[in-house]
Amino acid sequence: MNQTIAREDLASLLRWYVDQGIDEAIGEEAIDRFAAPPPQAASPPIQPMPAAPTPIRSAPNRPTPAAAPAPLRGPVPIESPQLVEDARALAQRCNSVEELEAAVRAFDGCALKRTAKNTVFADGVVGSPVMIVGEAPGADEDRLGKPFVGVSGQLMDRMFEAIGMSRERDLYITNILFWRPPGNRTPTLAEQAICMAFTRRHIELAKPKVLVLAGGTAAKSVLDTAEGIMRLRGKWTSLSLDDGTAVPALPTFHPAYLLRTPASKRQSWSDLLSLDKKLRELGIR
């Protein structure tokens, strides 16, 4: 059987990997998970347990000394509620988007920063009428230091171009997290809480007319709700900020989800039309 794979087939396979969000290799050699396990060595015969010695009875009314507590095992958690308060206090001292960006880049209280290549703050035009808040940077975003620049970001650009909008003119884009979680894992609640202290201030300083929340993690974190994206998407709500202002917010599917589930693009197109209608009602378009 010919095991040679054509170059075109390899390129097609790599494109499929990228579309599925596979951007890292665990090892240099592939693992055959269908291979039979190696035979195990025979277990040594079980030796009979020796007879337990007769217990010695302690003297009456003599208390048994308490056992010493076992030492803690495993790493001590780095995140703490105090880090969230520190991030919130630091964010509140910032009076411009530029000051906030400098504060985020200098902040070392989130463990994700230690494994990320870059701080991914924002892209687009500050002061744009529409601010898009996604979930977290991916591999391409971590490498380039900008949000939504990978395959899902390219899809998002095409979607907004369909209603006459672009990041070069009237979009401002960020994520609730500024650093990529290792392996694109779901961020922990502590990581989200630390970064959300900056993100809420980010929204206040950017002063968008409309907020688009891309993906379930972003929608639940920003709106502080337990409802999933299937219930939230397409429904306008109002986000109340700490400075007393309120911003209309529209949760929608993340572009990465649309790459995995193309049939949902119809619902996302409906969300875009709803956004276009809202902007016209506000007199922005």
Side-chain angles (χ1 to χ4, degrees), residues 9 16 22 38 62 64 81 92 101 136 142 155 185 187 203 205 250-251 263 282:
D9 294 337
W16 182 84
I22 303 172
R62 185 175 182 179
T64 304
Q92 289 301 320
E101 180 176 2
D142 185 36
L155 173 60
R185 64 164 172 77
I203 298 171
L205 295 172
L250 177 66
L282 296 173

Side-chain angles (χ1 to χ4, degrees), residues 28-277:
E28 295 293 336
E29 297 183 2
I31 301 175
D32 186 358
R33 302 190 184 277
F34 295 95
Q40 297 182 354
S43 302
I46 301 175
Q47 300 294 331
M49 293 290 292
T54 303
I56 300 176
R57 299 183 63 183
S58 58
N61 300 327
R62 185 175 182 179
T64 304
L72 295 176
R73 298 184 181 273
V76 178
I78 298 175
E79 292 83 3
S80 70
Q82 185 58 48
L83 289 174
V84 179
E85 294 302 322
D86 292 345
R88 183 177 292 113
L90 179 60
Q92 289 301 320
R93 291 197 296 269
C94 297
N95 296 314
S96 67
V97 172
E98 292 75 18
E99 289 182 10
L100 184 69
E101 180 176 2
V104 169
R105 293 186 182 278
F107 185 72
D108 292 323
C110 185
L112 292 177
K113 186 177 182 180
R114 300 167 198 166
T115 57
K117 293 183 177 69
N118 281 301
T119 297
V120 182
F121 185 73
D123 194 22
V125 182
V126 179
S128 296
V130 176
M131 184 175 184
I132 303 171
V133 181
E135 298 178 355
D140 292 323
E141 289 77 11
D142 185 36
R143 177 171 54 85
L144 299 175
K146 291 184 179 182
F148 285 94
V149 294
V151 178
S152 61
Q154 295 168 17
L155 173 60
M156 187 187 73
D157 287 343
R158 293 195 299 270
M159 291 168 60
F160 277 90
E161 286 172 1
I163 59 171
M165 307 187 74
S166 71
R167 68 174 73 198
E168 292 80 12
R169 186 176 60 252
D170 38 26
L171 295 176
Y172 186 55
I173 308 169
T174 188
N175 288 303
I176 61 169
L177 265 69
F178 303 102
W179 302 280
R180 182 197 184 198
N184 290 350
R185 64 164 172 77
T186 301
T188 66
L189 294 178
E191 292 163 352
Q192 293 181 48
I194 291 172
C195 290
M196 274 303 301
F198 291 108
T199 300
R200 290 185 66 87
R201 184 59 176 161
H202 196 177
I203 298 171
E204 290 175 355
L205 295 172
K207 300 184 186 304
K209 302 298 182 184
V210 174
L211 199 63
V212 175
L213 306 175
T217 302
K220 289 192 289 187
S221 295
V222 174
L223 299 177
D224 192 19
T225 179
E227 288 196 74
I229 189 61
M230 294 299 178
R231 288 181 174 271
L232 293 172
R233 68 138 293 272
K235 299 177 182 177
W236 284 98
T237 185
S238 180
L239 173 65
S240 298
L241 299 172
D242 298 335
D243 62 358
T245 60
V247 184
L250 177 66
T252 189
F253 291 136
H254 195 283
Y257 173 78
L258 299 179
L259 290 173
R260 300 190 300 268
T261 316
S264 298
K265 290 181 180 180
R266 178 177 57 84
Q267 295 167 293
S268 293
W269 174 242
S270 176
D271 296 344
L272 287 173
L273 294 179
S274 179
L275 171 64
D276 183 65
K277 180 181 178 181

